[in-house]
Amino acid sequence: MKPVIVDTNIVFSALVNKNSNIATLLLSSEQPLLMPKYGFVELFKYKEKICAVSKHSQDEVLELLYELIRHIDFFDENSISVEALQKAWGLVRDVDAKDLLFVALTIEMGGLLWTGDNQLKIGLESRGFNAFFSPTADP
């Protein structure tokens, strides 16, 4: 079973709508879920926006965040090999450099990237990267 590298936008979506299929999948996945530690920083950066969009109190959002991160293993970016980082940089530099660590972790772990960023998907696919997780497909 390949690990699933979860992009921040997936967790963001689950926090905005705690009754969504995405939230349910994150909370019940049998597959290992990974995220670079940077992803947690990104979520913290947008906590006010998450509260505003979700119309949940900060306490409700934090409670759900806690439940979600109990199911996600955070990976130390310093453990990603130079080779994986270089390969990922070649893939993301002209698409979305902010996704470098997510793509590098996917390469490093031989996993599948779960992202809701269609522009990223299209850009990566045009460069031959197709290791994506689709909740409707059997990985």
Side-chain angles (χ1 to χ4, degrees):
M1 185 177 312
K2 291 185 177 190
V4 174
I5 289 58
V6 182
D7 196 345
T8 307
N9 59 51
I10 295 298
V11 178
F12 187 99
S13 294
L15 290 169
V16 167
N17 184 355
K18 63 183 179 182
N19 297 316
S20 68
N21 288 338
I22 290 173
T24 301
L25 283 167
L26 285 171
L27 292 169
S28 65
S29 177
E30 296 294 322
Q31 289 184 268
L33 301 174
L34 300 174
M35 181 180 253
K37 287 182 180 179
Y38 174 73
F40 189 79
V41 173
E42 271 192 313
L43 289 168
F44 187 77
K45 178 180 174 182
Y46 293 109
K47 67 180 170 45
E48 285 83 14
K49 183 176 181 180
I50 293 167
C51 290
V53 172
S54 70
K55 296 182 175 58
H56 298 308
S57 71
Q58 183 171 318
D59 285 344
E60 290 173 311
V61 169
L62 291 174
E63 186 176 314
L64 179 57
L65 176 59
Y66 174 73
E67 286 302 315
L68 291 170
I69 64 173
R70 288 181 52 222
H71 296 274
I72 298 172
D73 291 322
F74 289 87
F75 195 88
D76 184 357
E77 296 89 355
N78 294 321
S79 299
I80 299 174
S81 69
V82 171
E83 293 81 13
L85 287 165
Q86 288 174 337
K87 185 173 181 181
W89 180 245
L91 294 167
V92 302
R93 73 172 170 242
D94 297 327
V95 180
D96 191 345
K98 294 182 310 232
D99 287 304
L100 170 67
L101 294 174
F102 295 90
V103 175
L105 183 56
T106 302
I107 293 166
E108 183 77 18
M109 302 304 292
L112 301 170
L113 178 62
W114 187 8
T115 183
D117 184 341
N118 287 328
Q119 184 177 354
L120 175 64
K121 280 183 182 178
I122 291 166
L124 291 174
E125 286 173 338
S126 73
R127 290 163 177 77
F129 180 94
N130 60 4
F132 296 104
F133 174 76
S134 174
T136 57
D138 185 27

